[in-house]
Amino acid sequence: MYLVLLGPPGAGKGTQADLLSRNRDIPHISTGDILRSAVDEETELGEEAREHMERGDLVPDEVVIGITRQRLAADDVADGFVLDGFPRTVRQAESLDSIMQQDMDGSLDVVINLDVPETELIRRMTGRRICPTCGRNYHLVFNAPRSLGECDECGSDLIQREDDKESVVRQRLQVYQKSSKPLIDYYDDLGLLVNVDGRGSVEQVYEAIEDLIG
Ligand SMILES: [Zn+2]
């Protein structure tokens, strides 16, 4: 089965993609991971991606598409995949369709859109804390330290990353809503889009996905 997972930051895409991958024995292809490995392996496209990432720019569509195309040429995608983080734009989605048609003689089966209200996303994302000394991650609601504000491992004062502050989170969510709308409409028009309520526990959301895709 060929799946795409869409959803805002904080919706739990990576976790659900991992579960789908393990239970269905298909690879979890995250664009972040394949971009990083192309950069590490110093491939031609990887070098191009690195230049943009170092400048803090978005990696251009053609580079992301090229790296994804190379990843989709591997043998392990013969029975399916779950894509996470790609496509991000309608142009990338159109490229994915043609890569699948030309190189794999296939097409997507379903696009799962994890739907989580903004207030819940803000609660999830602003609760993250990290230990600046040992790097351990916490969450004030889901994975709280034993003593408020202190690392269980080393006792350091926990910090909130700049990216997890409410104003930054709100900004990221707005950017996501605006940029994802055309993509969601594109898949809806193709009849591939399935909305899944992403509010419950990891297990509940996973069950809802499995129920819907069968
Ligand atoms: Zn620590």
Side-chain angles (χ1 to χ4, degrees), residues 4-6 31 64 83-94 96 108 111 183 186-187:
V4 169
L5 265 182
L6 300 180
T31 313
V64 177
L83 278 180
D84 153 24
F86 181 88
R88 240 170 244 248
T89 62
V90 171
R91 179 149 172 250
Q92 291 180 1
E94 287 166 348
L96 176 62
L108 289 177
V111 176
L183 185 62
Y186 173 82
Y187 282 130

Side-chain angles (χ1 to χ4, degrees), residues 28-177:
H28 169 192
I29 302 178
S30 125
T31 313
D33 290 345
I34 57 174
L35 273 176
R36 273 186 294 276
S37 66
V39 169
D40 289 344
E41 288 160 22
E42 299 180 347
T43 65
E44 203 175 310
L45 287 166
E47 286 297 296
E48 244 187 285
R50 186 178 55 79
E51 285 170 26
H52 292 280
M53 287 154 84
E54 279 175 357
R55 286 200 300 263
D57 295 342
L58 274 182
V59 180
D61 271 351
E62 59 270 22
V63 177
V64 177
I65 291 163
I67 289 174
T68 306
R69 170 172 235 145
Q70 286 174 350
R71 176 62 187 86
L72 294 181
D75 292 337
D76 65 345
V77 301
D79 295 326
F81 57 58
V82 48
L83 278 180
D84 153 24
F86 181 88
R88 240 170 244 248
T89 62
V90 171
R91 179 149 172 250
Q92 291 180 1
E94 287 166 348
S95 301
L96 176 62
D97 291 344
S98 63
I99 291 169
M100 290 190 71
Q101 264 167 30
Q102 289 164 16
D103 302 359
M104 302 165 72
D105 201 21
S107 59
L108 289 177
D109 293 296
V110 64
V111 176
I112 296 159
N113 184 37
L114 282 180
D115 207 4
V116 181
E118 190 172 282
T119 48
E120 171 66 12
L121 292 171
I122 289 169
R123 187 172 81 103
R124 290 182 187 183
M125 292 167 77
T126 58
R128 292 173 181 163
R129 294 293 181 276
I130 186 168
C131 171
T133 309
C134 70
R136 186 161 161 186
N137 290 292
Y138 296 89
H139 192 286
L140 299 183
V141 182
F142 308 117
N143 178 25
R146 284 192 295 269
S147 158
L148 188 71
E150 266 179 35
C151 180
D152 293 349
E153 297 290 331
C154 69
S156 298
D157 287 342
L158 301 179
I159 56 166
Q160 185 179 34
R161 292 187 320 149
E162 237 2 84
D163 275 4
D164 295 334
K165 300 212 160 134
E166 184 164 339
S167 59
V168 180
V169 167
R170 278 186 190 279
Q171 171 73 18
R172 278 174 71 196
L173 291 174
Q174 269 171 21
V175 169
Y176 175 81
Q177 295 301 353

